[in-house]
Amino acid sequence: MNPLELVRAQPGPAFTVTLDGREIEALPGQSVAAALWTAGVTSWRSTRGAGRPRGVFCGIGVCFDCLVTVNDRPNQRACLVPVRPGDTIRTQEGTGHDD
Amino acid sequence: MSKPFTCDVVVVGAGMVGAACTLYAARAGLDVALVDRGPVAGGTTGAGEGNLLVSDKEPGPELDLALLSGRLWVDLAEATELASAIEYEAKGGVVVAATPEGLTALETFAAGQRAAGVAAVPVAADRLHDLEPQLAPGLAGAVHYPQDAQVMPALAAAHLVRASGARLLTGRTVTEVLRTADGSARGVRTDRGEIHAPAVVNAAGTWGSAVAALAGVSLPVLPRRGFVLVTEPLPRLVRHKVYAADYVADVASDSAALQTSPVVEGTAAGPILIGASRERVGFDRSFSLPALRELAAGATRLFPFLSGVRALRTYLGFRPYMPDHLPAIGPDPRVPGLFHACGHEGAGIGLATGTGHLLAQILTGRTPDLDLAPFRPDRFPQEAV
Amino acid sequence: MTDRPHLAVIGAGPAGLAASLAAAARGIRVTLIDAGAMAGGQFYRGPAPGLGARRPQALHHQWRTGDRLARGLAGHVTAGTIEHLTDHHVWCVERQSDGFAVHALLGPEQERPVTVGVDAVLLATGGYEKVLPFPGWTLPGVVTAGGAQAMLKGSLVVPGRTAVVAGTGPLLLPVATGLAAAGVDVAALVESADPKALLRGTGDAKAFLERARALAAQPGKVAEGAQYAAQLVRHRVKVMARHTVVEAHGEERLDAVTVAALDGDGRVRPGTERRIPCDTLAVGHGMLPHTDLAESLGCRVDGLDVHVDEEQRTDVPGVWAAGETTGIGGSALSLAEGHIAGRSVAARLTGAEPDPREWAAVAKSRTRMREFFAALDTVYVPPAHWTEQVTDDTVVCRCEEVTGGEIRRAVGELGAGDVRTVKLLTRAGMGWCQGRMCEPAVAGLAGCAQTSARRLLARPVPLGVLARAEEDLAGAEEDLAGAVEDPDEPGGPGASEDD
């Protein structure tokens, strides 16, 4: 059983986005975070102090742990932003404005 | 109620000024107790930015106090382990002028400051972006003030208190200034016991008039509300304390009325601070979007890149101002044993060291380094208390 | 019809939906403003339409109520009696001389501003999850219980293959059963609550829930509890009551947790520690209300809850509040509060004195639900000595990476005794989340009660948006069509316990 089977989902056609240049598949309606989870990725940011990895924590936009750069916009909450065909997703370090 | 205890000096108010008074009095050999109804830095200090500025002061007693204070901040930062603990940063200030007329007025103002001992270096328009690469284009020029500096105010207050070794009594409200038969101050009563001391220092900042009233004297300290905006963390994109000066030149007068935009500065921790707004609305803690809009507008005019940067939070505080915009420092001739160190308006963090140093000199019977006449607490018409 | 009184309802969860329907049915022009792409809030969150879920109710215990509310909303939207603004992230509600300006950012980028001018405001901003720190809680793979649920319900994804669900509170049950139903191996449900109130001894899921039923004077809640019990048994989820997670392990991501038993005083019982391999930990310790908008409006806040009267009015004229923002109490209470608030608004904005007898049954249900949650609150509490698990090198403030040791030094050496002073002296709570995540922990470490933090900006706002004046006032939208009386009010709280 997986969640899609559980609710008998018939998602629209999958599309491709990139994470740091690597192609991953995403489903329409998913958040960026969900697409990354599906691709087996659970962290996509390193903290600006200790450089530790972070990903989703609260899942509802409150904790800001899942910040990520989407289409050159840094500090987007991956759990809130819907993934769209062709998105360029980049892991981010520090403040997200460092490069 | 705890048992009364006795010390040499009781300082009322654990903000930046009270902390500095405590440190310098303790260093002068006095046994000091510091009392506050709230925590350390719970009032204006905790709502400030930590500006140690000479750049915004015209020649006169406040500038003299700022220069003395600046030297003492350097001493503190150099002679102890405090510098990093209090996030002291000698970053310097840059005051920019948008127009040629504004630049002429700014340079005239700076020339006066230089004569009074301020380092003020003119910066031509084509060198401005060497100092601050992100500044808006088209500015007329600037003056660089290397003596402007920065501390994190709450950390500074807490660490100065700790360095003093004095007794810190937080969460105690002073309810009365105790008086001897001849009317001299002899300590304070708090909601948790009495503290006996031959010297009482009113360092209650914006609430200084209420503490003065407990001793039966009037001291016109009034609140001026200020909001500060704080951005998301960023790399160091703003290097100095930067603000714009618009001088309303008045040919008939030898002084220029100064209006400034909010100070914009980067911090070691990452966020950029923008502040503070100025409103005289009493102790009104309501949120004011217009005040924030003005801050944001002033900051984005200076640094256009800030338009896309997010403000994460805002906080407000009450700056203690007196009618002539000078603090009250020194003994109160109306109540022997009562001393004041309050009313520093938006400059209390910067002026705290000089204030504490001068007060310690007075408390130990020495001649203060500066003439305290302009800061006399009784310089205003006496009002009924 | 533009002279009809205009209400902004902020938040489209149970409270906001019930309030919008109640007010709109009584002739109020309602603008429902919500951050989500679909109505429902966290509780009725459904899968995104693009995922084509044909049986979304498999992930919901109250699907029918949510569906009914959604259909009610759709009817009003079609009729023009409710305008539903999705993807609107409200950052401030401003009091003006003749009403209120609701300032929002358009999502998901949250860069473009929108302002809606209204006569009155109803705050239904909901709540968020409280999580207390422990070593390793910042590792990827550790998520909040509600976060795991939100990702599952909204995007149909799970964070890993093997999960431990831990903490305390009624939310852990649907999270554990939901993950299990979605194919995750739930290795344990670790609940710190007192076995005397919930369960005698540990281990058996059925007994666990039977005790929980005793608390539930609500027939709907009993049914709900029984469903969860059956599901826990079916999925062979091991229930460990009076246990707590003491550490999460892993280098770059979670690979195991250590759990331990608690003694009668709420301390970890030495020698009972055991390691459970897992790639996911879903953890939560209860809920906290979102009160930011109320606070910048100057509404009275008691403790952490927005204060309201019997009609759900705050102490600021023209501002009502309903649902979790007035105190955590679950969806049924939110529906009741929202309904009453909507009816009060409808009367007050048309100059009438509301007659509380008209909603007496709902008010009674509100009282019962508040009592029920007050009872739950006495049982579902974190271990009394949870701060002992926070080592000096445990990160407490996730954003600014402030450790337990730094906070203890601010308290012990610099005299900080409250959350604000700790924040000033350590930066705990100064980062992106503005202390929403770490405040309960900072309060616990400082030894003081958590109080409302007075966040004047409810969310980050671009300075360029702040700098702009009122140019974005949305006043040009066409007039809303006439009100439609809905005889079978979909938002009625009677509909809330029928699943």
Side-chain angles (χ1 to χ4, degrees):
Chain A
M1 184 66 76
N2 70 37
L4 292 162
E5 291 163 10
L6 178 67
V7 299
R8 294 195 204 132
Q10 290 185 327
F15 52 83
T16 304
V17 299
T18 60
L19 171 66
D20 294 335
R22 175 164 74 94
E23 289 199 345
I24 60 173
E25 269 206 347
L27 292 176
Q30 286 188 324
S31 63
V32 167
L36 294 175
W37 272 14
T38 305
V41 180
T42 49
S43 68
W44 44 82
R45 176 174 85 90
S46 61
T47 59
R48 74 182 204 282
R52 296 297 295 154
R54 295 284 174 87
V56 169
F57 184 60
C58 83
I60 60 167
V62 178
C63 79
F64 293 82
D65 246 11
C66 66
L67 296 177
V68 69
T69 299
V70 182
N71 301 330
D72 292 326
R73 275 197 183 85
N75 295 318
Q76 302 295 303
R77 279 165 281 180
C79 70
L80 293 187
V81 176
V83 68
R84 293 180 181 126
D87 275 348
T88 305
I89 305 163
R90 280 192 293 126
T91 55
Q92 67 173 57
E93 291 175 4
T95 64
H97 296 276
D98 292 354
D99 18 281
Chain B
M1 298 288 276
S2 50
K3 257 173 45 179
F5 68 87
T6 302
C7 53
D8 296 328
V9 185
V10 56
V11 177
V12 182
M16 188 67 247
V17 173
C21 290
T22 300
L23 176 71
Y24 287 99
R27 284 189 173 179
L30 298 170
D31 180 15
V32 188
L34 174 60
V35 61
D36 198 294
R37 62 180 174 181
V40 176
T44 305
T45 297
E49 305 143 88
N51 286 332
L52 319 183
L53 297 186
V54 295
S55 56
D56 65 338
K57 294 174 180 65
E58 60 187 341
E62 195 192 10
L63 180 57
D64 295 340
L65 181 59
L67 287 165
L68 169 66
S69 297
R71 288 194 295 276
L72 292 165
W73 276 113
V74 170
D75 290 348
L76 280 179
E78 280 177 357
T80 68
E81 301 294 304
L82 283 176
S84 66
I86 67 178
E87 295 179 9
Y88 178 86
E89 209 183 337
K91 60 165 67 162
V94 175
V95 183
V96 301
T99 62
E101 302 76 45
L103 184 61
T104 306
L106 173 60
E107 283 175 341
T108 307
F109 187 77
Q113 292 173 309
R114 266 193 298 276
V118 173
V121 186
V123 184
D126 61 348
R127 305 311 305 270
L128 201 44
H129 293 83
D130 297 342
L131 274 182
E132 283 294 346
Q134 303 289 337
L135 267 174
L139 296 163
V143 174
H144 178 212
Y145 292 86
Q147 289 157 311
D148 282 356
Q150 156 91 17
V151 291
M152 199 295 190
L155 281 172
H159 281 280
L160 261 56
V161 172
R162 185 161 180 247
S164 75
R167 237 173 313 202
L168 170 64
L169 306 163
T170 52
R172 288 197 195 202
T173 305
V174 170
T175 56
E176 186 184 342
V177 174
L178 301 169
R179 313 276 288 273
T180 60
D182 68 359
S184 302
R186 61 173 185 87
V188 296
R189 175 170 293 143
T190 77
D191 57 350
R192 289 161 64 193
E194 294 183 359
I195 306 165
H196 296 162
V200 174
V201 176
N202 173 16
T206 314
W207 298 270
S209 96
V211 171
L214 293 176
V217 294
S218 81
L219 190 72
V221 188
L222 294 161
R224 194 193 74 196
R225 187 170 73 181
F227 283 92
V228 175
L229 271 173
V230 188
T231 72
E232 63 185 283
L234 295 167
R236 204 55 175 269
L237 294 171
V238 177
R239 300 172 181 175
H240 303 80
K241 290 179 175 281
V242 185
Y243 58 99
D246 300 306
Y247 295 85
V248 183
D250 179 354
V251 286
S253 161
D254 57 359
S255 77
L258 171 65
Q259 292 192 316
T260 59
S261 70
V263 177
V264 180
E265 64 180 308
T267 61
I272 286 175
L273 301 187
I274 302 160
S277 58
R278 299 166 187 204
E279 296 168 280
R280 290 179 188 165
V281 290
F283 285 105
D284 179 357
R285 291 196 169 270
S286 330
F287 179 63
S288 164
L289 201 48
L292 294 196
R293 289 198 187 284
E294 267 179 46
L295 287 177
T300 51
R301 269 197 301 273
L302 277 179
F303 290 100
F305 83 93
L306 286 175
S307 286
V309 167
R310 287 169 197 271
L312 293 192
R313 67 188 172 109
T314 179
Y315 55 87
L316 70 95
F318 298 102
R319 322 294 182 227
Y321 80 89
M322 304 198 69
D324 59 1
H325 303 282
L326 289 177
I329 304 171
D332 192 323
R334 298 164 296 185
V335 179
L338 176 66
F339 301 79
H340 298 284
C342 55
H344 295 74
E345 200 156 346
I349 307 302
L351 302 180
T353 46
T355 301
H357 170 77
L358 294 168
L359 204 75
Q361 291 181 315
I362 298 284
L363 287 168
T364 49
R366 285 174 288 163
T367 306
D369 289 351
L370 292 181
D371 174 17
L372 291 182
F375 307 117
R376 281 176 62 102
D378 62 338
R379 64 189 188 268
F380 303 101
Q382 180 72 16
E383 291 166 26
V385 173
Chain C
M1 296 298 285
T2 46
D3 55 348
R4 279 192 299 142
H6 190 182
L7 170 72
V9 175
I10 301 171
L17 285 172
S20 296
L21 297 178
R26 288 164 182 79
I28 301 296
R29 177 186 170 195
V30 175
T31 301
L32 174 60
I33 307 174
D34 188 57
M38 292 184 299
Q42 301 307 332
F43 190 77
Y44 300 127
R45 181 192 288 270
L51 291 166
R54 285 176 298 156
R55 202 174 153 265
Q57 59 271 33
L59 283 167
H60 285 263
H61 286 269
Q62 308 246 329
W63 179 262
R64 289 222 299 276
T65 309
D67 194 44
R68 191 171 308 163
L69 289 164
R71 280 188 279 118
L73 173 64
H76 278 288
V77 169
T78 305
T81 41
I82 296 178
E83 186 186 13
H84 180 199
L85 302 179
T86 57
D87 279 320
H88 280 58
H89 302 258
V90 178
W91 54 273
C92 173
V93 180
E94 187 183 12
R95 285 162 91 161
Q96 295 186 322
S97 54
D98 55 348
F100 300 86
V102 180
H103 299 286
L105 296 165
L106 281 177
E109 290 84 6
Q110 302 190 28
E111 286 167 2
R112 278 188 301 133
V114 176
T115 297
V116 181
V118 291
D119 302 310
V121 177
L122 198 155
L123 304 172
T125 46
Y128 59 101
E129 209 168 1
K130 165 178 163 177
V131 186
L132 298 170
F134 49 87
W137 77 310
T138 53
L139 278 171
V142 180
V143 296
T144 70
Q149 191 183 43
M151 295 283 288
L152 175 57
K153 282 175 166 182
S155 279
L156 303 177
V157 289
V158 291
R161 291 196 173 86
T162 307
V164 169
V165 178
T168 188
L171 177 63
L172 301 187
L173 297 166
V175 171
T177 55
L179 288 174
V184 175
D185 173 18
V186 179
L189 168 55
V190 182
E191 164 63 64
S192 66
D194 189 343
K196 284 195 287 293
L198 274 178
L199 180 69
R200 191 171 299 133
T202 58
D204 180 338
K206 201 160 164 241
F208 182 79
L209 266 307
E210 273 172 7
R211 290 291 186 273
R213 271 182 221 170
L215 265 175
Q218 302 285 330
K221 292 284 160 195
V222 174
E224 204 177 306
Q227 273 184 4
Y228 290 135
Q231 288 175 33
L232 286 171
V233 171
R234 192 185 327 137
H235 293 293
R236 297 195 175 82
V237 175
K238 182 183 181 62
V239 176
M240 304 173 76
R242 292 301 291 164
H243 277 67
T244 191
V245 169
V246 295
E247 187 169 358
H249 309 278
E251 284 300 322
E252 295 299 301
R253 72 155 298 167
L254 181 74
D255 57 34
V257 296
T258 295
V259 300
L262 293 161
D263 68 15
D265 296 329
R267 279 201 164 83
V268 166
R269 218 184 270 278
T272 63
E273 295 86 355
R274 46 191 286 209
R275 202 173 164 113
I276 304 177
C278 58
D279 58 15
T280 299
L281 172 65
V283 60
H285 297 100
M287 299 273 292
L288 296 167
H290 270 302
T291 57
D292 310 328
L293 297 175
E295 287 175 60
S296 57
L297 277 164
C299 299
R300 174 177 150 194
V301 176
D302 292 340
L304 298 172
D305 307 332
V306 176
H307 172 87
V308 288
D309 67 6
E310 286 295 305
E311 287 175 38
Q312 302 293 138
R313 288 181 298 178
T314 72
D315 64 338
V316 172
V319 181
W320 280 254
E324 309 286 42
T325 187
T326 69
I328 299 306
S331 66
L333 176 58
S334 295
L335 288 171
E337 291 190 352
H339 180 79
I340 292 170
R343 294 180 76 138
S344 168
V345 168
R348 297 274 171 197
L349 287 193
T350 51
E353 184 73 23
D355 181 359
R357 284 172 304 187
E358 290 175 11
W359 64 67
V362 185
K364 198 173 160 194
S365 153
R366 179 178 63 181
T367 304
R368 282 202 319 268
M369 290 309 301
R370 282 180 182 163
E371 286 166 356
F372 174 73
F373 267 83
L376 281 189
D377 266 354
T378 65
V379 174
Y380 287 117
V381 288
H385 297 280
W386 62 266
T387 56
E388 292 175 3
Q389 308 311 317
V390 181
T391 56
D392 277 355
D393 58 0
T394 301
V395 169
V396 171
C397 168
R398 303 173 66 95
C399 301
E400 297 298 295
E401 302 174 87
V402 181
T403 62
E406 288 171 78
I407 291 166
R408 290 191 174 105
R409 275 194 294 284
V411 173
E413 295 172 17
L414 296 175
D418 61 298
V419 173
R420 178 171 182 261
T421 309
V422 170
K423 170 176 163 179
L424 287 169
L425 298 180
T426 66
R427 300 194 56 77
M430 282 194 186
W432 273 105
C433 91
Q434 287 296 293
R436 290 176 178 94
M437 289 296 121
C438 69
E439 265 163 12
V442 171
L445 291 169
C448 64
Q450 190 188 350
T451 52
S452 77
R454 205 154 189 263
R455 285 175 275 263
L456 297 174
L457 297 176
R459 60 188 77 238
V461 191
L463 286 166
V465 169
L466 258 185
R468 251 177 284 172
E470 302 299 321
E471 65 197 50
D472 307 298
L473 196 65
E477 75 265 45
E478 70 261 42
D479 290 353
L480 292 165
V484 173
E485 273 296 334
D486 184 346
D488 176 22
E489 188 147 61
S496 66
E497 291 163 16
D498 60 349
D499 283 21

